[in-house]
Amino acid sequence: IRPVDAVTFRVNRLASWTHHVRAAADQDVLSGRGGSCFRLLNQRPFVMSSPAPKHSRALSGFAWFTAAASLFLICVGGLVTSHGAGLAVPDWPNTYGYNLFLFPISQWVGGIFYEHTHRLYASAVGLLTVILAVWLQLRAPRRSLAALGWLALGLVIAQGVLGGLRVTLMKDVLGVVHASLAQAFLVLVTAIAV
């Protein structure tokens, strides 16, 4: 319904309701009985029912799961920093020349364990964010929510690139930006979940 039509509808409905209340009051007075007027007064003629946006529990639950995974990823990133393992793997996006997902577990020792686990877990959070953005685009009750999903996807991609540049360029300032953007991403995904 267009806004003008909605206003016209409400005015017409209110006028009709007012007419019925007056008629019922007159009938109550003439018949000596009461009640019909009060039944009409309890109705709400000016509230036009419109379908509420559908809320998907599954989508909301998935958004909360993504937010929790993001929080855990920040904790894993803190382990990388606190163990001084940020540069334990000197190349990116590979790991010692191996594909990130094919790096042998037998070589996950010392700082490599923390850094490589962080990369793998970040990839999983990236995948969760892709799924969330697409799901929001298809099923979000509001377009603004879908836009936030795409913004979250952009942020998680920027996070991955910043993490890689931190390794390849060896700039400490990139590590600070990487950590700060991680917190902003967490806030955004939590806002989507709420």
Side-chain angles (χ1 to χ4, degrees), residues 66-144:
T66 304
S70 303
L71 177 62
F72 186 71
L73 178 59
I74 291 172
C75 294
V76 172
L79 284 174
V80 170
T81 302
S82 65
H83 284 87
L87 298 174
V89 179
D91 56 345
W92 181 84
N94 296 325
T95 303
Y96 286 104
Y98 287 90
N99 178 300
L100 173 69
F101 303 105
L102 302 177
F103 186 65
I105 295 177
S106 62
Q107 295 182 24
W108 295 19
V109 293
I112 297 170
F113 171 79
Y114 294 106
E115 174 61 19
H116 189 67
T117 303
H118 179 64
R119 289 182 182 192
L120 290 175
Y121 196 75
S123 299
V125 170
L127 179 62
L128 291 174
T129 308
V130 169
I131 294 168
L132 180 63
V134 171
W135 196 347
L136 285 168
Q137 181 66 40
L138 296 175
R139 300 284 184 221
R142 296 180 309 274
R143 286 182 185 233
S144 59

